[in-house]
Amino acid sequence: MTDRTTYVTLAGVRRRGWTDAMVRDLLGTPDVQGRDPRRWSLAPVRLYLLARVETVERTPEFTETAALCRARASAAGVHAERRRAAVLTAIRAEPIEVPRLPGPELERRAVRHRHLLGARSPGPDRAAVRVGVPSGALVRWQVSYLRHALSRYESLLDGLYGETGRGEAERLLRRRLYEAIAAAYPSLAQECRRRIAVEG
């Protein structure tokens, strides 16, 4: 078995500040490659001689490549921050148009929407809505239906990936949508406030 104290794994090389491209270009083929006998895995174990890694880290080529990678990462971070700020501004400025429906029609659509989602619910006729559904459930279903009807606004999030502001933008958009529903239907305001508190 290889003495692991003189070798470093690919994950270890990455912790030292290497990118995968730097490993490929500056280190090349691993010094040891195979299966880890301690656990089953499809991914091969790749080990690099620590002395070789340290030698490459002292070269001017490594210094230049590392500086270039840091500059690219910084530029990408600036771009991502600009994109995040633009999306947040667009979400704040976008007028939210909630469909205005008479009470019985909103109830009918909410029950039908609930039924289409596969949940157990009464049929879409108005009598069933009044008889078989607790009023609290009907309020929740109406808010869910209206929230679904406003899903087109989620296109405002396009271009935000990963953690770079995506969560913040989603929370802001949800809050704006629920506030718009509450303004259009005051009887649903309490449920909208509850969802804002729960969903963030």
Side-chain angles (χ1 to χ4, degrees), residues 34-112:
R35 302 278 176 225
D36 188 340
R38 296 173 299 170
R39 65 171 190 241
W40 185 88
S41 173
L42 290 176
V45 174
R46 292 185 276 178
L47 300 175
Y48 300 87
L49 274 168
L50 182 57
R52 186 162 74 94
V53 171
E54 290 172 340
T55 299
V56 172
E57 287 175 345
R58 289 190 291 271
T59 64
E61 186 179 9
F62 175 84
T63 305
E64 291 170 11
T65 305
L68 182 60
C69 287
R70 283 192 297 274
R72 284 181 182 154
S74 177
V78 168
H79 176 72
E81 178 55 31
R82 283 186 188 143
R83 178 68 187 145
R84 182 191 72 81
V87 168
L88 290 174
T89 300
I91 290 171
R92 287 185 189 103
E94 185 72 20
I96 307 293
E97 297 177 17
V98 179
R100 304 287 179 138
L101 302 168
E105 178 63 14
L106 177 58
E107 290 174 0
R108 188 188 69 74
R109 289 188 186 192
V111 171
R112 184 169 182 271

Side-chain angles (χ1 to χ4, degrees), residues 96-173:
I96 307 293
E97 297 177 17
V98 179
R100 304 287 179 138
L101 302 168
E105 178 63 14
L106 177 58
E107 290 174 0
R108 188 188 69 74
R109 289 188 186 192
V111 171
R112 184 169 182 271
H113 180 255
R114 178 75 174 179
H115 179 71
L116 290 174
L117 291 177
R120 295 185 70 202
S121 65
D125 63 288
R126 190 170 167 210
V129 169
R130 291 289 183 201
V131 173
V133 180
S135 62
L138 189 55
V139 166
R140 290 191 301 274
W141 296 356
Q142 289 173 22
V143 172
S144 293
Y145 167 74
L146 291 167
R147 175 66 182 83
H148 175 75
L150 298 175
S151 60
R152 68 183 180 276
Y153 290 101
E154 290 176 11
S155 65
L156 292 169
L157 301 171
D158 290 350
L160 286 182
Y161 305 101
E163 296 179 11
T164 311
R166 177 86 187 195
E168 180 184 2
E170 287 175 346
R171 285 188 298 276
L172 175 60
L173 180 60

Side-chain angles (χ1 to χ4, degrees), residues 189-200:
Q190 184 176 350
E191 174 63 13
C192 290
R193 285 192 298 272
R194 184 191 72 79
R195 290 190 184 204
I196 290 170
V198 169
E199 297 177 19

